[in-house]
Amino acid sequence: MDNLPELRDIHLPDGAAAWPPAYGWWALLAALMVLTALYYLIILIRRKSKKLYALRLLRNIYCNNSVDAVVQMSEILRRICVFKYPGAAVLYGKDWLEFLNKHSKTKLAGKPAQLLADAPYLPPQARGYSVADVTALRQFCAAWIGENL
């Protein structure tokens, strides 16, 4: 019995194909996509939380005195400026109002603008500003916070 004619020459197997990748590569890709999505979600939540915190502070300002309320609103705006625009936190008066108007779609003018500029320097019992002025200023502050945080 001669088996030699049935033997074939040694041949190398085909190389491993690059596509489709193995399951481990798919799992690695999926893990990378999940981590990237989590990273952007955390950034979004941090941004939203700052905005929501500032708006909550603004909503919780309840003072019988309009000057005290405006001082607290000005403090909130300045705290945001310390975080986002460090150079603007030292502005006051007309420069402060111009900076706020420059970074907002809605403009602050008239008595509410004057109230915001003068409130830190007015005595707490000062009169001459109405609830409508404080309300207009509160709406401007809410809009400014929404646009800048």
Side-chain angles (χ1 to χ4, degrees):
M1 198 148 156
D2 192 15
N3 289 338
L4 284 177
E6 294 177 16
L7 290 178
R8 284 185 243 143
D9 195 18
I10 297 174
H11 64 280
L12 297 174
D14 293 336
W19 195 260
Y23 294 116
W25 290 110
W26 287 109
L28 184 64
L29 179 64
L32 186 63
M33 289 173 55
V34 166
L35 287 176
T36 304
L38 283 175
Y39 174 76
Y40 285 112
L41 182 66
I42 288 171
I43 288 175
L44 179 69
I45 289 171
R46 287 184 67 198
R47 273 195 203 138
K48 290 282 186 182
S49 67
K50 288 175 188 160
K51 182 187 295 188
L52 294 175
Y53 178 70
L55 290 173
R56 189 176 330 117
L57 286 177
L58 185 65
R59 255 192 332 268
N60 290 336
I61 296 175
Y62 295 111
C63 292
N64 294 333
N65 188 343
S66 62
V67 174
D68 287 338
V70 173
V71 167
Q72 291 177 18
M73 288 181 214
S74 180
E75 288 174 0
I76 292 170
L77 293 176
R78 288 191 184 275
R79 286 173 65 182
I80 293 169
C81 284
V82 165
F83 168 71
K84 190 146 185 197
Y85 310 105
V90 297
L91 298 175
Y92 62 93
K94 187 177 179 182
D95 294 334
W96 174 239
L97 294 174
E98 287 175 1
F99 172 80
L100 291 175
N101 284 334
K102 185 174 121 182
H103 288 87
S104 177
K105 293 177 185 170
T106 60
K107 304 301 179 202
L108 184 64
K111 275 193 151 187
Q114 192 63 35
L115 179 60
L116 182 63
D118 294 342
Y121 312 107
L122 292 174
Q125 303 81 8
R127 302 277 181 219
Y129 294 103
S130 67
V131 176
D133 297 334
V134 176
T135 303
L137 186 57
R138 186 184 305 262
Q139 290 171 350
F140 172 78
C141 289
W144 196 88
I145 291 169
E147 294 171 7
N148 289 282
L149 273 183

